[in-house]
Amino acid sequence: MTATLLGIGFGFAARCLMLRSDYRQYPAYPHGYVTHLSLGLIAALLGALAVPALLEREFTAVTFLSLAATQFRDIREIERETLSKLDISNLVARGPDYIEGIARVFEARNYLVMLIALLVSGLTYLTNVLAGIIMGAFALLGALRLMRGPVIGQIATVRPGRISFKGPNLFVEDIHFMNLAREEVRRTVLARGLGVVIEPFDDNAREILANNGQRMAIAHDAATQLGIYRDVDTAEFTPILRRDLDTGRIALLILPLEKDMDCLVSAVKNVPVLESSTSRPLKSRAGRGAAD
Amino acid sequence: MKTQISKYILAVVTLDPALVGSGGAPVFVARDRAEQDRIATYLARITEGVVHDLENGVYILVKH
C-alpha cells in the first residue's frame, strides 16, 4: 500500500512539474489543467499498481497497462485536433509540425508519469521507502531534463540582418523576400521591421532549417514573444522566413510591436528544434561525402 | 483533406490598360500613380491580399 501511494505521489508530482505553462501559453485555462492532471493521475495509478500486482500474481491487472497506452494515444489525437482548429485564429500560425510536436509531448509525458510511478512503487515494494523516495527524486530530475530539447541557438548562429529595398523588392542582406508595391508599406517595413539571419553550423542544421514547419515555428515563437504589428487585413506584415539557396542560410523578417533586436535574437535562439524537422544527412555516407 | 488554390491574383490595378489582357482577375484602370496606390490599398484591405509591383505600371493583388 505504501509502495503504491508513493508511486502515485511521485508520478502525479512529475505530471504537475511538467505542466508548467510558459510563453507558449498552453494549456493556460483551468479546464486544460483539469484534463491533463486527471489523466496524469490515472497514469500514475496504473504505473504504481503494476509491480505490486505482478508480484501478487495478479497477471490480469498488468494488461490494463496496454489499455492505458491506447487511452494516452488518444490524447495526442485530441491535442492535435484542438490546436489545429485553434491555429486558424492565430495571426501567426504555429504550423502543423509544431502542433504535432506539442501533441506528441503530451502523450509522452503520460508514459513518463507511468514509468516514474512504476519505478518508485516497484523499488519501494522490493526494498524500502527511503530507496523509493531517492529513486523518485532522481526520476523527477530526469523528467525535467527530458523536457528540454535542443534549440535553434545550439545548431545555428543567430545575428541581426539589414533590411533594404531594391525597387519594390525587399531583401534581408542578400536574401530576396518579396515584392511590395506600396510606398507606405515599404516605409513601414523599413521603420518597424527587424531582420535576423540564421546561419546553420553544419549540414544537419541546414536541413533542419530548410523545413517549412520549423520556419513557421520560428515565426510563431518570435511573434508571440515580441508582439506582432499586423492585423487580419494586413497580410504584407506577416513575418516570413526565406532561404538562401546557395548556402542554406535562413533570414527572418518580422514587424514586432516591441522593436528590440536583442530580445528578438534571444527569442529565435530559444525556439525548439522540432522533432519532425530533424534530419541527419551527415550520418549517411552520401551526405558526408557531399558535405565537403 | 481540403484542397484549395492558395496563391492567386485577386485583381489587377494598371495605369495602362493595353498592358493587361483579359483573364480571371478584374482589372482596375487608374488615372495616375496616386489613384493606383489608393485603389490598390483599398482592395488589399478589403480582400486581405498583398500588392505587388510588376514595375511596368501594373500592380497585382495576390492572395497568399
Side-chain angles (χ1 to χ4, degrees):
Chain A
M1 190 64 201
T2 333
T4 313
L5 282 178
L6 207 63
I8 293 171
F10 271 108
F12 191 60
R15 190 68 194 96
C16 294
L17 271 176
M18 288 188 285
L19 203 65
R20 193 188 53 180
S21 187
D22 56 9
Y23 68 89
R24 280 171 277 249
Q25 278 307 308
Y26 188 82
Y29 40 90
H31 290 100
Y33 282 121
V34 172
T35 315
H36 289 295
L37 286 179
S38 40
L39 279 164
L41 189 66
I42 294 169
L45 191 75
L46 284 165
L49 284 173
V51 175
L54 203 65
L55 292 172
E56 298 291 332
R57 301 191 163 276
E58 294 282 349
F59 297 119
T60 39
V62 184
T63 56
F64 275 92
L65 284 180
S66 59
L67 193 75
T70 325
Q71 283 291 324
F72 296 137
R73 211 181 49 226
D74 288 345
I75 293 182
R76 184 190 325 186
E77 204 74 30
I78 295 164
E79 289 305 331
R80 185 197 296 129
E81 209 169 293
T82 322
L83 285 172
S84 311
K85 276 185 185 150
L86 296 178
D87 212 28
I88 301 164
S89 343
N90 273 335
L91 276 181
V92 182
R94 274 196 180 91
D97 295 58
Y98 203 175
I99 289 175
E100 192 56 44
I102 295 172
R104 217 177 282 177
V105 164
F106 270 106
E107 184 191 3
R109 282 178 181 174
N110 281 302
Y111 296 136
L112 216 57
V113 164
M114 223 147 94
L115 187 73
I116 289 172
L118 191 131
L119 285 176
V120 172
S121 81
L123 202 69
T124 313
Y125 194 81
L126 294 172
T127 56
N128 55 43
V129 176
L130 191 68
I133 290 175
I134 292 169
M135 178 75 228
F138 273 110
L140 285 186
L141 283 176
L144 282 179
R145 275 192 67 85
L146 269 180
M147 272 176 72
R148 292 190 207 101
V151 291
I152 293 292
Q154 293 168 344
I155 63 157
T157 43
V158 182
R159 58 176 175 81
R162 205 175 62 85
I163 301 171
S164 60
F165 275 99
K166 284 188 193 127
N169 291 304
L170 171 59
F171 290 84
V172 171
E173 299 210 328
D174 57 342
I175 302 171
H176 179 252
F177 267 71
M178 57 178 158
N179 169 312
L180 289 173
R182 291 175 48 227
E183 195 54 50
E184 188 197 331
V185 172
R186 283 183 230 165
R187 273 201 302 273
T188 313
V189 169
L190 283 177
R192 307 203 65 124
L194 288 178
V196 165
V197 177
I198 308 168
E199 280 173 339
F201 288 147
D202 57 14
D203 285 16
N204 288 344
R206 191 192 63 204
E207 289 316 304
I208 292 171
L209 290 173
N211 183 293
N212 228 336
Q214 181 67 56
R215 288 194 240 169
M216 283 173 99
I218 295 173
H220 174 82
D221 270 11
T224 12
Q225 286 168 72
L226 279 94
I228 184 75
Y229 182 81
R230 76 159 290 210
D231 198 359
V232 283
D233 60 348
T234 47
E236 60 269 35
F237 298 143
T238 314
I240 43 176
L241 290 101
R242 286 281 183 268
R243 185 171 192 226
D244 178 2
L245 297 180
D246 290 325
T247 61
R249 282 183 307 157
I250 300 288
L252 161 72
L253 172 82
I254 184 170
L255 282 84
L257 279 179
E258 323 265 0
K259 195 181 174 185
D260 188 327
M261 186 48 102
D262 292 337
C263 295
L264 178 63
V265 168
S266 85
V268 171
K269 277 184 177 168
N270 282 319
V271 174
V273 171
L274 300 181
E275 226 176 310
S276 52
S277 76
T278 310
S279 66
R280 299 188 207 289
L282 287 179
K283 290 257 178 191
S284 75
R285 188 193 296 249
R288 265 196 312 275
D292 45 58
Chain B
M1 207 179 117
K2 203 166 76 178
T3 309
Q4 57 182 13
I5 300 169
S6 63
K7 298 195 180 200
Y8 50 92
I9 299 179
L10 295 163
V12 180
V13 188
T14 180
L15 291 170
D16 180 3
L19 288 170
V20 189
S22 61
V27 180
F28 298 84
V29 183
R31 275 180 287 262
D32 52 42
R33 200 89 196 182
E35 192 185 45
Q36 188 186 23
D37 243 46
R38 196 171 56 245
I39 295 173
T41 308
Y42 287 151
L43 290 176
R45 291 287 169 275
I46 296 162
T47 60
E48 296 173 19
V50 179
V51 190
H52 298 295
D53 185 356
L54 300 185
E55 295 187 77
N56 61 349
V58 180
Y59 283 3
I60 54 169
L61 264 105
V62 179
K63 184 87 178 171
H64 285 279

